[in-house]
């Protein structure tokens, strides 16, 4: 069985397109909606801003209503909380516990990540051929259709994004950042796997949210506006996006034209 799992808050920019793509690729798509507290593996974040969710912790951009309709698809399992979730890892584990997918491949698909059926199938073949039980990836990390981030931040050349596991019933996430599923042993590194498209800092309202929720991202909306408007000429270093010095392992990251 091939299963995808996603968590989402205010994801209406992405959901209509993903709803066309993912049910065609996966046997089951598990979606868990809502805001999360800044606890456990989300403890590096700020307190969740109230402006981005309703009093029950739900999205305010039409995401909840879209998912209620999408849940009529028998291939899609949707779960809503009744308050802020107890960290992002609890959202993933709730989805796995409630949906209880069959053994096979489990894919974590963030709602702003775009994959093709051939990328998914080829990765699974690579994992089978190598004996790996988890695979990592780098991505086309786009600020606009023409502007891309290259390096250890965004593209994530240092480690890659772990997104696919060989899954057996009962496994759970140990952490979300980085994603770790219990029992993982052998990694297929990113230099062997396909590149996916990542639109994490693509939409203005998303960048605003991350500037409020992510620690040390308080200036990123200002930097994003200057870069995407052309006020800051490209290429530039990622410190221009953050509008302040960045960690040493991010300093070589470059933002340039695609």
């Amino acid at each position: 069985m091939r299963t995808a799992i996603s968590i989402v808050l205010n994801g209406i920019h992405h959901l209509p397109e993903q709803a066309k793509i993912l049910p065609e690729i996966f046997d089951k798509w598990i979606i868990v909606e809502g805001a999360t507290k800044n606890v456990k593996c989300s403890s590096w974040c700020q307190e969740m801003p109230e402006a981005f969710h309703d009093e029950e912790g739900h999205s305010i951009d039409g995401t909840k209503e879209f998912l209620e309709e999408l849940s009529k698809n028998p291939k899609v399992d949707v779960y809503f909380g009744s308050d802020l979730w107890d960290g992002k890892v609890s959202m993933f584990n709730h989805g796995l516990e409630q949906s209880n997918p069959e053994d096979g491949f489990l894919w974590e698909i963030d709602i702003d990540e775009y994959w093709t059926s051939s990328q998914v199938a080829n990765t699974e073949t690579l994992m089978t051929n190598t004996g790996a039980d988890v695979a990592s990836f780098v991505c086309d990390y786009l600020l606009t259709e023409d502007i891309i981030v290259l390096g250890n931040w965004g593209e994530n050349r240092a480690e890659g994004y772990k997104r696919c596991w060989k899954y057996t019933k009962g496994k759970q996430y140990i952490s979300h950042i980085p994603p770790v599923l219990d029992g993982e042993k052998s990694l297929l590194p990113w230099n062997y796997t396909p590149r996916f498209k990542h639109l994490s800092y693509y939409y203005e309202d998303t960048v605003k949210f991350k500037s409020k929720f992510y620690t040390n991202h308080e200036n990123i909306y200002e930097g994003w506006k200057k870069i995407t408007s052309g006020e800051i000429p490209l290429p530039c270093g990622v410190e221009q996006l953050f509008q302040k010095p960045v960690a040493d392992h991010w300093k070589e990251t470059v933002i340039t034209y695609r």
Side-chain angles (χ1 to χ4, degrees):
M1 184 175 185
R2 179 187 288 165
T3 303
I5 186 166
S6 307
I7 64 174
V8 60
L9 176 70
N10 297 323
I12 201 64
H13 287 304
H14 306 284
L15 275 167
E17 185 65 20
Q18 298 285 35
K20 297 175 186 176
I21 298 170
L22 296 184
E24 296 296 318
I25 299 175
F26 294 93
D27 301 305
K28 179 65 68 178
W29 184 17
I30 304 167
I31 308 171
V32 185
E33 187 273 344
T36 179
K37 302 172 186 175
N38 57 338
V39 298
K40 300 179 181 178
C41 61
S42 304
S43 61
W44 67 278
C45 298
Q46 304 295 315
E47 186 174 349
M48 175 62 67
E50 293 183 359
F52 294 95
H53 63 86
D54 67 17
E55 61 184 13
E56 294 183 334
H58 297 303
S59 303
I60 56 173
D61 67 342
T63 287
K64 184 174 184 288
E65 294 75 14
F66 186 93
L67 291 177
E68 288 171 339
E69 187 67 24
L70 182 61
S71 67
K72 297 175 183 178
N73 185 328
K75 297 180 73 175
V76 182
D77 292 345
V78 180
Y79 302 101
F80 302 102
S82 56
D83 197 353
L84 270 65
W85 291 93
D86 195 25
K88 290 184 179 181
V89 71
S90 69
M91 299 177 72
F92 283 104
N93 285 335
H94 180 84
L96 291 176
E97 290 166 3
Q98 296 299 312
S99 192
N100 194 26
E102 299 293 330
D103 295 359
F105 287 97
L106 175 70
W107 285 80
E108 178 184 322
I109 307 291
D110 285 2
I111 210 65
D112 53 18
E113 299 175 356
Y114 291 82
W115 298 79
T116 67
S117 58
S118 61
Q119 288 174 329
V120 170
N122 289 341
T123 296
E124 293 171 353
T125 298
L126 287 166
M127 292 176 69
T128 299
N129 290 347
T130 61
D133 56 16
V134 56
S136 65
F137 306 83
V138 292
C139 60
D140 291 338
Y141 204 82
L142 303 179
L143 304 187
T144 71
E145 280 302 301
D146 297 321
I147 298 175
I148 193 167
V149 182
L150 302 172
N152 289 344
W153 186 86
E155 186 185 20
N156 202 7
R157 291 181 186 175
E159 299 174 347
Y161 296 92
K162 287 196 287 186
R163 287 296 182 263
C164 181
W165 294 263
K166 289 181 180 176
Y167 179 78
T168 54
K169 275 194 169 192
K171 284 189 174 183
Q172 289 196 323
Y173 281 87
I174 297 171
S175 71
H176 170 61
I177 299 177
V180 178
L181 206 66
D182 62 55
E184 64 181 59
K185 296 176 182 178
S186 177
L187 176 71
L188 181 67
W190 63 260
N191 51 313
Y192 290 104
T193 56
R195 296 175 66 96
F196 64 94
K197 183 169 74 170
H198 202 168
L199 303 184
S200 185
Y201 288 81
Y202 193 88
Y203 291 104
E204 184 172 12
D205 51 359
T206 305
V207 181
K208 284 182 179 179
F209 167 72
K210 292 182 177 181
S211 73
K212 302 295 185 182
F213 185 47
Y214 289 176
T215 300
N216 295 323
H217 285 58
E218 64 274 5
N219 300 327
I220 207 164
Y221 176 58
E222 178 185 354
W224 180 86
K225 286 196 299 181
K226 289 180 177 179
I227 290 171
T228 57
S229 68
E231 182 178 342
I232 294 176
L234 300 182
C236 70
V238 74
E239 68 276 1
Q240 296 285 358
L241 179 63
F242 282 82
Q243 294 286 286
K244 66 178 186 179
V246 297
D248 287 345
H249 63 288
W250 291 350
K251 286 182 178 179
E252 301 302 316
T253 299
V254 173
I255 301 171
T256 189
Y257 292 114
R258 195 176 180 188

